[in-house]
Amino acid sequence: MKKNRLVITCLMIGVVGILLGSIGLLLGGRVYGITMGGNGIVVNSNANANSQEGYQFLKETLELEDFTDLKMDISFADVEIVESDHFALEYCVRSDRPITAEMQNGAMTISQKSQTGNYPFLSLGMVTFDTTMTAEYVNLYVPAGTAFESVAISLDSGNLTVGSLQADTITLVDSFGSITAQSLQAGDLNMDLDSGDVFAAAITAENLTIKNSFGGAEIVNAELTKGVISMDSGDVILGQIVGEELQMELSFGSVDAGTLDVDSVKVELDSGNCRIGNLCTQKLDADSSFGELEIGLYEGVAAYAADASANFGNIEVNRVDMGDVYKTLDSEGQPMLMIRCDSGDIILYDAAE
């Protein structure tokens, strides 16, 4: 009885809230967001939702000495690494979050004071962004062909754009923003995103690790010794990948790959499809909980020893229905396909067709 009374009371409060909100909208009132921080909780009106009024901006260009290691820690700005004929730093940021550049023993550290004041955590209503707002950015100019020992770039909020970057170790972290790169070369290349997409036109790395919580990843061309791609919610798009080992683990998202010339491929999907148009491998280990697996094989299906099963789905080999189980004998030295699908179809075909 008490539980029923509580439910009824909550519903009545909800109805009253909707009624009062509707009256406010009819009278012209708007809530454009709620922010929380050092100034307490603030309900934003249209006047203060997106305005930069009252802020001053720092805009400066600095010539930098040559350096071998780079560390960037930026709190709120877009960052771009630009090929040039010299080292230089250019930025435009709010005066309350300035940029500092320090050199020590050949290592350059570029950092930005963390944002103070309030942080938006809820946005309600129709917010119209002011197109006249000043863009905040940090541009680092690097001579073409520069090879660093280590590079570590971390952004709290902003997009990272890289023309070309080469180092023994590269670590790129972005909490709220995307990473776009034309060329990345490294022994160890790590990219970690919370909310944003990854795009790389070309990657050369011994060890590649991409982690993304909410966003996709697209790689056009890559040469890897080992690649590990882990996605919580987002799709993976691959063009042409050459390497020894590739692992992909996706919770909610699909894999769409063109040509994979990789000795060992492992794919784990919780919810999503996997399509590989042209696979040349010695070992494929694919496991899908909810989704279809479609694999085109460069050497033809007959070249492989296969162990495939679909619990709730069918297996098709070169347009021939094989039921829910497809197994072939393993001969010595024969490449292997191990494919499992809990709910979805498995489609295998000769890629030459």
Side-chain angles (χ1 to χ4, degrees):
M1 182 67 68
K2 291 182 179 180
K3 184 177 180 181
N4 291 336
R5 289 178 180 176
L6 178 61
V7 172
I8 293 173
T9 301
C10 291
L11 290 174
M12 290 177 63
I13 293 174
V15 170
V16 172
I18 294 172
L19 178 61
L20 291 176
S22 300
I23 293 173
L25 288 173
L26 291 173
L27 293 177
R30 296 291 187 274
V31 174
Y32 287 86
I34 300 174
T35 60
M36 179 178 66
N39 298 327
I41 297 176
V42 176
V43 178
N44 293 319
S45 66
N46 189 36
N48 67 353
N50 304 299
S51 175
Q52 291 181 330
E53 184 178 354
Y55 290 110
Q56 294 182 344
F57 288 84
L58 301 174
K59 190 173 183 179
E60 190 173 8
T61 300
L62 303 173
E63 296 295 326
L64 302 178
E65 303 176 39
D66 295 1
F67 53 89
T68 57
D69 297 89
L70 171 64
K71 181 179 180 180
M72 297 184 73
D73 191 353
I74 306 300
S75 62
F76 193 95
D78 292 333
V79 174
E80 183 172 2
I81 309 299
V82 184
E83 281 190 320
S84 179
D85 57 0
H86 66 293
F87 286 99
L89 179 66
E90 177 187 31
Y91 61 82
C92 176
V93 296
R94 264 177 28 184
S95 58
D96 63 334
R97 37 195 191 214
I99 299 293
T100 60
E102 298 179 352
M103 171 78 87
Q104 186 175 7
N105 299 325
M108 175 62 67
T109 300
I110 300 171
S111 58
Q112 181 182 32
K113 182 181 178 181
S114 298
Q115 179 174 330
T116 58
N118 283 24
Y119 302 86
F121 71 95
L122 177 61
S123 179
L124 302 172
M126 296 297 294
V127 179
T128 56
F129 290 93
D130 185 358
T131 58
T132 65
M133 291 176 66
T134 301
E136 296 179 67
Y137 62 84
V138 178
N139 294 336
L140 178 63
Y141 295 88
V142 175
T146 299
F148 295 105
E149 292 181 8
S150 66
V151 172
I153 302 176
S154 178
L155 282 74
D156 288 339
S157 181
N159 296 321
L160 173 61
T161 304
V162 178
S164 178
L165 192 58
Q166 180 179 353
D168 294 338
T169 302
I170 297 177
T171 301
L172 308 177
V173 179
D174 202 332
S175 297
F176 295 97
S178 297
I179 297 176
T180 302
Q182 292 303 311
S183 177
L184 295 171
Q185 299 181 55
D188 294 319
L189 174 57
N190 304 289
M191 288 184 272
D192 194 340
L193 296 88
D194 286 338
S195 180
D197 297 325
V198 174
F199 172 82
I203 290 177
T204 302
E206 293 181 12
N207 297 293
L208 168 68
T209 301
I210 298 177
K211 295 181 180 180
N212 200 342
S213 297
F214 297 96
E218 180 176 358
I219 302 174
V220 180
N221 288 285
E223 294 183 13
L224 312 170
T225 301
K226 180 179 180 180
V228 178
I229 301 175
S230 178
M231 317 285 286
D232 289 338
S233 180
D235 298 330
V236 174
I237 300 174
L238 304 176
Q240 183 170 352
I241 311 297
V242 177
E244 296 181 9
E245 184 178 352
L246 178 61
Q247 299 178 16
M248 293 180 283
E249 183 178 353
L250 286 77
S251 296
F252 297 95
S254 297
V255 173
D256 190 350
T259 298
L260 300 184
D261 187 355
V262 182
D263 293 341
S264 176
V265 177
K266 184 175 183 179
V267 181
E268 293 186 24
L269 300 172
D270 286 340
S271 180
N273 301 322
C274 176
R275 187 198 70 84
I276 303 176
N278 192 356
L279 176 63
C280 181
T281 187
Q282 291 299 307
K283 181 180 179 182
L284 170 65
D285 186 347
D287 194 334
S288 175
S289 297
F290 297 96
E292 183 178 270
L293 297 172
E294 180 180 339
I295 312 295
L297 295 160
Y298 173 78
E299 296 178 345
V301 181
Y304 288 84
D307 185 353
S309 61
N311 291 333
F312 297 96
N314 292 323
I315 300 175
E316 180 182 297
V317 177
N318 286 326
R319 302 187 182 91
V320 177
D321 189 351
M322 297 294 179
D324 58 6
V325 175
Y326 174 68
K327 292 186 178 182
T328 59
L329 296 177
D330 182 11
S331 62
E332 186 176 353
Q334 193 174 17
M336 185 70 186
L337 303 176
M338 294 182 293
I339 306 174
R340 296 162 300 280
C341 194
D342 288 338
S343 181
D345 296 334
I346 298 174
I347 300 173
L348 304 176
Y349 63 92
D350 299 343
E353 288 190 355

